[in-house]
Amino acid sequence: MKHFLREIYVAGILFFYFLKWPYLLGFGYFYLEGMYKNNYILIGLWLYCLILVIKDLIYLAKNGSRCKKH
């Protein structure tokens, strides 16, 4: 059971790390165009991606890109 939960956790991290921007923009566009009906799970995922993007932008503004020029 522990192994299964670890795999789910890693899959969630990879999904939200690589797909938060495409999901945020794509689902927002399709929802506003009327291509998707109300689905609370997809809307919840979209809101979670929005929160993650806002968190990333705040972190970037606060700490900078941490890339040092040599």
Side-chain angles (χ1 to χ4, degrees):
M1 183 68 174
K2 234 181 194 184
H3 183 66
F4 175 72
L5 291 175
R6 185 179 181 108
E7 286 181 4
I8 295 295
Y9 177 72
V10 171
I13 288 173
L14 289 174
F15 175 79
F16 288 113
Y17 183 77
F18 290 110
L19 295 176
K20 64 184 164 197
W21 279 101
Y23 187 79
L24 182 76
L25 299 174
F27 181 77
Y29 173 75
F30 289 137
Y31 186 77
L32 291 176
E33 289 294 320
M35 295 178 193
Y36 285 142
K37 306 235 189 256
N38 281 340
N39 186 338
Y40 298 116
I41 294 172
L42 293 178
I43 293 172
L45 283 174
W46 185 83
L47 288 172
Y48 187 64
C49 287
L50 180 66
I51 291 168
L52 289 175
V53 167
I54 290 171
K55 179 197 68 94
D56 288 345
L57 292 175
I58 291 172
Y59 182 81
L60 183 65
K62 186 176 181 182
N63 296 328
S65 65
R66 293 192 179 205
C67 292
K68 296 184 180 183
K69 296 179 182 176
H70 294 282

